[in-house]
Amino acid sequence: MRAAVIETPGKLSVTTVPDPEPGPGEVVVEVDACGICGTDIHIVDGDFAPAPYPIVPGHEFAGRVAALGYGVTSLRVGDAVAVDPSLFCGSCHYCALGRGNLCEDWNAIGNTRDGACAEYALAPAANCHRLPEGVTAARAALIEPLSCAVRGFDRLPRRLGEHYLIYGAGTMGLLMAQLARRGGATSVSVVDLNEERLEVAERLGADATATSAEALHARHGWEVVVDCTGVVAAIEDGLGRVRPGGTFQQFGVAPGEATASFSPFRVYNEEITIVGSMAVLHSYSRAVELMGSGAVDADTMISDAFPLDSYEDAVRKFRAGTGRKLQILPNSTPESQDGTR
């Protein structure tokens, strides 16, 4: 089969690799759509420590079951599925506590195992979720980031009628903004330096947008502030925008060596809650249902689709910060790139 391969940090190619063979409890998925995410870029650059090389990237994907391994009875060949890429060991201290996203032997399809920027991908049958009617492959490839956003909301002490401020109008910021509105927020404000992305946030229901929180003129701040950028300057600014008794969530991925300054006295004196949220935990099936219900406008979020041979072009466009969600359609021709088949 054909696949995008990161040979070593900085070295990409689209080449022929062996077809995957399903083992017991596994299936082979013919990949219809695979999203590109910031983690993929970290792997390309050699900044994602768990990734081995060479590796086929791609962890946000959907397709159709092409082959069944021994013992798989929950799926049939031809089923349209989205795939949870998380691979937990199930036996370590954190898995025993139900915190598999903190697994001591954490793995993930496309991050530590070959992924879905390929014509076919291997996955445990238990990780494959049948798609609701009307959910195209392009929409389904957004279920994985949506499941991360659902996990983020699981970590928030939510109350109806609160005001939200979200830093970043990329994929995750746009998903968090849409979920906040659906979850009962009184208002949702979005900050981003990219004005084109702010226009998209407005189309998706944001009440206010600006290139800085200062420009929003919220004298009393916000009950919930969520950083979806991982940028230290945004994190530090956001911590100062939380109302007394409010919550700051670190959702964006900052570099491992990054540090941010904050006032410990203010956290104490104003009872500020600071929470983190990492990846997916008990949230993927709910994200499937949310996508099926139309809770998020996936079509507006997807701006570009590329054939597999244009993987490097997609990476360059991602780095340039133009467009919104970029997807690879490994089994489509350049003339047919709408995420459906």
Side-chain angles (χ1 to χ4, degrees):
M1 69 173 183
R2 299 276 289 169
V5 179
I6 305 172
E7 304 283 355
T8 58
K11 183 179 179 183
L12 301 175
S13 66
V14 177
T15 187
T16 300
V17 300
D19 291 343
E21 296 288 340
E26 296 179 326
V27 300
V28 172
V29 175
E30 183 177 358
V31 181
D32 285 327
C34 181
I36 293 182
C37 143
T39 301
D40 299 317
I41 307 305
H42 289 310
I43 295 173
V44 170
D45 293 341
D47 294 332
F48 189 74
Y53 298 93
I55 186 171
V56 176
H59 61 276
E60 303 176 359
F61 69 104
R64 290 159 295 161
V65 175
L68 305 175
Y70 175 78
V72 176
T73 58
S74 58
L75 296 168
R76 296 181 179 181
V77 171
D79 282 349
V81 295
V83 181
D84 179 353
S86 303
L87 303 173
F88 308 146
C89 76
S91 59
C92 73
H93 172 75
Y94 296 102
C95 285
L97 293 175
R99 301 291 296 274
N101 62 331
L102 305 180
C103 176
E104 294 173 3
D105 190 26
W106 179 87
N107 283 277
I109 299 166
N111 291 340
T112 64
R113 311 277 178 88
D114 281 343
C117 280
E119 292 174 321
Y120 297 93
L122 192 64
N127 290 46
C128 297
H129 298 253
R130 285 194 185 90
L131 297 183
E133 186 175 351
V135 176
T136 64
R139 295 171 186 168
L142 268 169
I143 289 173
E144 193 278 339
L146 178 58
S147 70
C148 294
V150 172
R151 171 59 182 163
F153 272 84
D154 288 346
R155 297 280 289 147
L156 289 173
R158 288 173 288 138
R159 293 175 294 274
L160 293 173
E162 295 188 315
H163 299 270
Y164 279 65
L165 173 63
I166 295 172
Y167 284 76
T171 297
M172 299 316 308
L174 295 175
L175 287 172
M176 294 294 281
Q178 291 177 81
L179 291 182
R181 290 311 307 262
R182 190 176 181 90
T186 293
S187 72
V188 179
S189 301
V190 178
V191 171
D192 197 295
L193 297 178
N194 186 323
E195 294 189 358
E196 291 183 7
R197 289 185 173 181
L198 291 178
E199 292 175 5
V200 178
E202 292 173 2
R203 285 161 54 192
L204 293 174
D207 297 284
T209 63
T211 55
S212 72
E214 190 68 30
L216 293 169
H217 305 297
R219 186 176 59 170
H220 300 295
W222 291 263
E223 283 93 0
V224 180
V225 177
V226 181
D227 173 69
C228 293
T229 71
V231 176
V232 170
I235 295 165
E236 292 178 338
D237 189 68
L239 282 163
R241 306 290 176 178
V242 183
R243 286 182 177 179
T247 299
F248 177 86
Q249 181 173 82
Q250 186 54 50
F251 190 95
V253 182
E257 70 280 4
T259 59
S261 298
F262 69 99
S263 168
F265 178 81
R266 180 168 181 263
V267 171
Y268 146 76
N269 190 56
E270 298 183 5
E271 292 195 337
I272 304 298
T273 299
I274 300 175
V275 299
S277 180
M278 206 288 282
V280 180
L281 184 67
H282 312 314
S283 54
Y284 201 93
S285 60
R286 285 178 288 155
V288 172
E289 293 184 353
L290 283 166
M291 187 64 74
S293 75
V296 300
D297 182 351
D299 293 342
T300 295
M301 294 183 61
I302 301 166
S303 64
D304 296 89
F306 296 82
L308 183 60
D309 283 337
S310 297
Y311 182 75
E312 290 189 64
D313 293 335
V315 169
R316 281 192 288 270
K317 188 174 182 69
F318 187 100
R319 291 186 190 277
T322 57
R324 299 180 294 281
K325 173 54 72 176
L326 313 179
Q327 293 184 340
I328 303 296
L329 311 183
N331 286 289
S332 292
T333 63
E335 293 76 25
S336 175
Q337 297 180 4
D338 62 357
T340 62
R341 293 188 64 197

